[in-house]
């Protein structure tokens, strides 16, 4: 039955304060680090100071003699039981997949790699004891640069593999039959623009450091972890260590942010698991911020060679991207696949007939990379939106006009791109028009012209990013085609309690996304119960046995639909019972505003609570009806979710110092229908801030020996609110067509959109001075250097390409 | 993350503090606001055997007038300095620079004396004290002594303080009729200066009578820009003469190249920022 839709709007769409706020904002909640169990010991991990070396001697016994120390072990001690850390995305048949021992056994391949563990009665003693461990290294040659790593005589990160090339993955629209041939497009092109862009390495900076507690004393081994992926962690712990899945329980209590950084199955989780099993007592490990930065996975780190071909009138005929993607030293859970999450997005919102993407994964002696907010799509969107501006400059065309000429118009949906995706819905014109008006686009262009004419010390730049992205991960069949090891479905259960209250179990695992609030809003509408009468349960494999967790803006886009379907089952199951109570034919009933009523008669009906009580007593149920109203649903999407929007950024660039100041930032996003506007706004603000951070502030830097030079927040310059502008945000609403909620993912949109908007604005401010690129992050020094280089070129009479 | 274990003492007076330091030997360290020292302990870059916490020594807190000078207790926090009416009236340069230090939390704990004793060339207070010709009042086993700013800062994280000495207070001259400005350039709001410039200018109508300029983070210790000062003495108070004087801004500096900035860029910034600081201080 579909009548529940009539209630839509009561809770969905409403600005509810978050149920989670009180406990999360005051910090009075169960973080993993708060947990203390009887007999628990604390782990400290010794990490390699070398980027590449053989371990020639390792003796933990001196540590054992220190006060408070209970146990200590090295990789060799647990070699047969620690398991190998899993990578679940072997993107090609011939991918090189090295062993990944949680504790290094013979060789270390990046600084920060765990080599030994101490367990002590308190954390301080464990930390002290690390200094007593005796370890000798024989240095091996280090390779950090991707191009150098691919050279014939390069030092090898994994000697036994004979190569630093992890894989090469190709998507070619001509070969796939989804579009034209890029080589032909280039041969026929009137204009060809090529650029190399560098996606610097970033460090996910979630608020709560990662922490894990393992209790081996019960019937099940219980693992608490500050993770985004409790379900995946359970399966992979089981598959990698051989401990049976039903003997492991994983709990993700409240988790303080992740941004992809906790979409990982970590060496530390495996080490704690091995330690607890070895000691037979509970263990806890909580990393320091410096350990997060050193050895938690990093994000981005690509070299992108982009070619775009066009006609003089601005019609783009093709795009091709050749990527080098830095894997780091090992493959984490989806390291190889992360760049490929962007592989289909180099055409963005445009109708480019020819498309080619080639991505080569490269091993280096650095910390592994993996998912970081947007994962692959920020890189794609950046390259695309940057080169659109470069093409506009080449054609001497207003950059927004160039975009208009090439984008899919609202009446062309659904639209299948040359990368092979089918976008269900969108309205790029509407979002852009709204954004341009709010931004005052024409006025700013006028001011820009005046400042250029007067040679003002402060130059104004306008940056555009008209983006779309694919999220709502993911249709299981597509994942299978991409050689991903799992599906993309999501599960939900609704339990009707005897008193009419509701427990909702979700397989998603929120770590800041407010599922408890949003899921309550959805269920309130679906079942006609009060928002306050709904409890959302998550993050414990004992309560929520089935789920694929939270990442890729999937929770609402996939899990939300499972939830609606589960509610539908409850409503369907209660109907014969309500009919029985009302002494009528079920076919005569409709479910409106939480009541079953006889169609056409507005008199008293029966609520779900009435039915729940009737089921509880089961004294008088119709014959053959099961005494349960509970509903379970698993939903596998047929398509991805394609939010889109237009972001506009105005920067003021101090041409003397190179400092970039964002003067205004307008984001108009279309995420389809919205469950809670405040939550969406929060996602956009945080996302935009994170994208700006890549454009202007953040970069992980290694020295020539492979030491991380940005290992604290003193050197890794994370912006705070003091560095960011006020954001002006608004929305257009083009519902998703594939499912009943009409929602699209919003978790990553801001990050995907904002980086190119900012860098385009920086370059736009300086283009008349001869600048056509600034490498990220656009630090004052890089901007100053770019201006200086351009002036130098101008003086030499040279013209930069 | 977790420091090596240490002993802790909290003396009630300066003499007791000096005695405790003397008894404890070279490995003891003074603890003021802990905003520089504690991070070093946590990262295990330092492992003192004892911390001598100056937090209970009343004599070391607060700001008082002494004739033509202000005397600022070393344990006066950045936040107290910022709010102090005597500082605002007679040494606004200190307040201007202090307002740029870190964030509220750090300013509530970190101390004026601690940031001078720490002698970090990237810290904002050392160049301010240098520009103001401050005098450092120090207590040690053999009594008290005074050291001029030009002698106090010796090298990177090294001051004239001996391990058993305590910086008690800092004496700065009241500046009547001067304009002042602290110009700081950093990557993010909470970061240390890539380069900073402390400037004070005394004008007589259209003429600059005297200027004092000191640079943050342009060498292993604060640098007084004597060349700029000399060029400005008696110069007309115009943008052109300021700009001309700033050609001397980087003289005598030895900036480092590191992950945050190259020496070249720091040198460029020194010139630009000195001009801006002087323009603000001189009201041009
Ligand atoms: C996040 C952050 C950002 C910061 N940003 C800035 C900034 O932008 N600009 C800036 O200038 N500073 C900055 N600081 C440093 C801050 O100003 C500190 O307050 C200052 O560096 C040290 O002062 P303290 O009182 O905390 O000293 P402590 O950390 O307690 O001590 C520092 C050193 O000085 C010695 N010492 C302290 N007091 C005395 C004394 N009276 N006699 C003898 N020796 C003494 C100690 O033994 C120690 O070696 C920042 C700090 C943090 C944590």
């Amino acid at each position: 039955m579909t009548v529940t839709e009539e209630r839509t709007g009561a809770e969905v769409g409403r600005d509810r304060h978050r149920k989670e706020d009180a406990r999360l904002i005051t910090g009075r909640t169960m973080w993993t680090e708060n947990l203390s169990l009887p007999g628990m010991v604390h782990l400290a991990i010794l990490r390699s100071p070398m980027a590449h070396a053989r371990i020639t001697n390792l003796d933990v016994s001196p540590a054992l003699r220190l006060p408070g120390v209970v146990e200590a072990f090295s990789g060799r001690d647990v070699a047969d039981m620690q398991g190998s850390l899993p990578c679940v995305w072997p993107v090609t048949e011939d991918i090189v997949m090295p062993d990944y021992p949680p504790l290094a056994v013979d060789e270390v391949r990046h600084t920060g790699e765990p080599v030994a563990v101490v367990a002590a009665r308190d954390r301080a003693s464990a930390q002290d004891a690390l200094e007593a461990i005796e370890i000798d290294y024989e240095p091996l040659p280090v390779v950090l640069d991707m191009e150098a790593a691919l050279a014939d005589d390069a030092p090898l990160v994994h000697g036994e593999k004979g190569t630093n090339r992890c894989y090469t993955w190709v998507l070619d629209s001509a070969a796939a039959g989804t579009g034209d041939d890029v080589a032909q497009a280039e041969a026929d092109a009137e204009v060809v623009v090529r650029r190399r862009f560098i996606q610097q390495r970033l460090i996910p900076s979630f608020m709560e450091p990662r922490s894990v507690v393992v209790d081996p004393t019960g019937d099940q081994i219980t693992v608490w972890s500050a993770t985004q992926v409790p379900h995946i962690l359970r399966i992979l712990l089981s598959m990698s260590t051989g401990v049976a899945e039903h003997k492991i329980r994983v709990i993700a209590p409240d988790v303080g942010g992740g941004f992809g950084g906790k979409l990982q199955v970590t060496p530390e989780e495996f080490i704690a698991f091995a330690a607890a099993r070895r000691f037979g007592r509970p263990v806890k490990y909580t990393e320091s911020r410096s350990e997060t930065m050193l050895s938690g996975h990093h994000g981005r780190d690509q070299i992108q060679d982009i070619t775009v071909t066009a006609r003089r009138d601005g019609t783009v005929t093709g795009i091709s991207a050749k990527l080098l993607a830095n894997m780091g030293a090992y493959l984490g859970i989806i390291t190889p696949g992360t760049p490929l999450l962007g592989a289909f997005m180099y055409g963005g919102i445009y109708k480019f007939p020819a498309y080619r993407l080639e991505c080569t994964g490269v091993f280096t002696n650095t910390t592994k990379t993996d998912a970081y907010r947007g994962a692959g799509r920020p890189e794609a969107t950046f390259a695309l939106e940057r080169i659109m501006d470069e093409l506009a400059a080449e054609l001497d065309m207003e950059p927004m006009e160039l975009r208009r000429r090439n984008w899919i118009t609202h009446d062309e949906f659904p639209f299948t791109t040359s990368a092979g995706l089918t976008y269900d819905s969108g309205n790029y014109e509407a979002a852009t028009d709204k954004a341009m008006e709010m931004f005052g686009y024409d006025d700013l262009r006028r001011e820009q012209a005046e400042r250029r004419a007067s040679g003002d010390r402060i130059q104004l730049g306008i940056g555009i990013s008209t983006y779309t992205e694919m999220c709502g991960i993911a249709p299981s069949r597509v994942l299978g085609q991409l050689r991903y090891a799992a599906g993309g479905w999501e599960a939900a259960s609704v339990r009707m309690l005897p008193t009419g209250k509701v427990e909702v179990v979700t397989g998603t695992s929120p770590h800041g996304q407010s599922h408890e609030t949003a899921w309550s809003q959805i269920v309130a509408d679906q079942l006609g119960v009060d928002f306050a009468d709904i409890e959302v349960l998550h993050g414990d494999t004992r309560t929520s046995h089935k789920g694929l967790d939270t990442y890729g803006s999937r929770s609402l886009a996939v899990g939300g639909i499972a939830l609606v379907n589960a509610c539908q089952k409850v409503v369907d199951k209660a109907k014969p019972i309500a009919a029985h109570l009302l002494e009528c034919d079920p076919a005569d009933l409709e479910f409106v505003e939480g009541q079953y009523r006889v169609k056409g008669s507005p008199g008293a009906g029966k609520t779900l609570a009435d039915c729940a009580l009737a089921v509880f007593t089961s004294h008088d149920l119709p014959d053959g009806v099961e005494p349960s109203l509970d509903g379970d649903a698993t939903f596998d999407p047929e398509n991805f979710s394609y939010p889109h929007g237009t972001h506009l950024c105005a920067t003021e660039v101090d041409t003397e110092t190179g400092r970039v100041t964002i003067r205004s930032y307008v984001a108009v996003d279309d995420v389809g229908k919205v469950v809670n506007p405040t939550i969406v706004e929060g996602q956009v603000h945080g996302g935009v801030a994170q994208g700006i951070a890549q454009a202007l502030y953040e970069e992980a830097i290694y020295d020539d020996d492979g030491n991380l030079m940005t290992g604290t927040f003193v050197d890794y310059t994370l912006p705070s609110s003091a560095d960011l502008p006020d954001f002006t945000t608004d929305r257009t609403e083009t519902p998703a067509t594939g499912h009943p909620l009409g929602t699209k993912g919003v978790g990553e949109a801001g990050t995907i959109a904002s980086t190119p908007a900012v860098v385009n604005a920086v370059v736009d401010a300086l283009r008349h001075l001869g600048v056509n690129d600034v490498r990220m992050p656009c630090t004052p020094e890089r901007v100053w250097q770019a201006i200086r280089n351009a002036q130098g070129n101008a003086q030499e009479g040279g013209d930069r390409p | 993350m977790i420091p090596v274990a240490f002993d802790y003492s909290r003396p009630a007076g300066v003499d007791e503090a000096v005695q405790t330091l003397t008894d404890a030997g070279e490995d003891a360290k003074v603890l003021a606001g802990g905003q520089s020292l504690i991070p070093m302990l946590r990262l295990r870059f330092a492992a003192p055997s004892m911390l001598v916490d100056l937090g209970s020594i009343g004599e070391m807190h607060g700001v008082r007038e002494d004739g033509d000078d202000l005397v600022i207790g070393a344990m006066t926090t950045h936040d107290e300095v910022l709010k102090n009416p005597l500082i605002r009236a007679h040494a606004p340069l200190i307040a201007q620079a202090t307002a740029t230090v870190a964030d509220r939390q750090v300013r509530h704990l970190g101390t004026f004396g601690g940031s001078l004793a720490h002698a970090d060339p990237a810290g904002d207070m050392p160049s301010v004290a240098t520009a103001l010709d401050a005098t450092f009042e120090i207590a040690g086993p053999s009594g008290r002594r005074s050291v001029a700013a030009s002698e106090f800062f010796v090298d990177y994280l090294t001051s004239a303080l001996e391990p058993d000495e305590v910086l008690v207070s800092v004496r700065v001259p009241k500046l009547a009729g001067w304009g002042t400005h602290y110009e700081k350039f950093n990557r993010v709001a909470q970061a240390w200066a890539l380069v900073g410039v402390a400037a004070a200018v005394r004008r007589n109508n259209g003429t600059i009578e005297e200027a004092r300029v000191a640079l943050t983070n342009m060498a292993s210790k604060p640098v007084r820009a004597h060349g700029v000062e000399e060029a400005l003495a008696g110069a007309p108070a115009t943008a052109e003469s300021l700009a001309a004087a700033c050609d001397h801004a980087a003289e005598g500096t030895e900036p480092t190249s590191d992950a945050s900035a190259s020496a070249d860029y720091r040198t460029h910034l020194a010139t630009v920022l000195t001009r801006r600081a002087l323009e603000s201080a001189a009201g041009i």
Side-chain angles (χ1 to χ4, degrees), chain A residues 529-610:
Chain A
V529 292
D530 270 359
F531 175 76
D533 288 344
I534 300 160
E535 195 69 23
V536 179
L537 309 175
H538 56 79
D540 181 343
T541 56
R542 196 175 269 185
T543 356
S544 139
H545 67 287
K546 195 173 169 187
L548 284 169
D549 307 318
T550 289
Y551 42 85
S553 306
R554 69 186 304 275
S555 296
L556 180 61
V558 186
I561 314 310
L563 184 58
V564 170
N565 293 349
C567 289
Q568 204 58 65
K569 289 188 181 171
V570 174
V571 172
D572 289 346
K573 279 171 111 172
K575 193 175 190 182
I577 296 161
H580 186 69
L581 295 175
L582 289 165
E583 297 177 348
C584 70
D585 188 327
D588 294 337
L589 283 185
E590 58 182 3
F591 185 64
V592 183
E593 286 169 3
Q595 293 223 341
Y596 293 91
R597 289 204 200 99
V598 177
K599 283 177 199 154
S601 80
K606 290 288 176 192
T607 61
L608 270 181
D610 298 329

Side-chain angles (χ1 to χ4, degrees), chain A residues 123-124 127-128 131 288 290 457 654 656-657 659 696-697 709 714 717 719-720 722-723 779-781 784 788, chain B residues 1-4 43-44 184-190 192 259-262 264-265 268-269 272-273 275-276:
Chain A
R123 203 171 163 190
Q127 194 73 38
D128 284 344
E131 289 176 17
S288 69
S290 300
R457 181 164 66 77
D654 182 333
E656 257 179 7
T657 62
R659 185 190 287 289
L696 298 181
Y697 299 109
M709 291 164 77
V714 173
T717 41
S720 67
D723 301 294
T779 61
E781 179 164 8
W784 170 73
R788 243 175 36 146
Chain B
M1 187 57 190
I2 297 170
V4 175
L43 293 166
R44 299 200 170 198
K184 177 168 175 173
F185 196 90
N186 51 10
R187 285 279 319 276
V188 289
Q190 280 164 304
W192 274 263
S260 329
S262 68
D264 253 11
Y265 182 56
H268 168 74
L269 281 181
V272 173
L273 301 179
R275 194 193 71 229
R276 291 184 186 182

Side-chain angles (χ1 to χ4, degrees), chain A residues 270-292:
Chain A
F270 270 56
I271 290 167
F273 195 75
R277 288 173 67 209
R278 200 175 145 94
F279 308 158
R281 62 198 288 180
V283 305
K284 171 150 81 178
Y285 171 76
T286 300
E287 69 189 359
S288 69
R289 179 62 66 179
S290 300
E291 286 178 298
T292 315

Side-chain angles (χ1 to χ4, degrees), chain B residues 29-30 32-37 78 102 110-111 114-115 117 123-124 167 184 192:
Chain B
K29 267 246 164 235
V30 165
Q35 295 305 291
S36 293
L37 186 54
H78 292 309
T111 64
S115 56
D124 299 300
L167 173 64
K184 177 168 175 173
W192 274 263

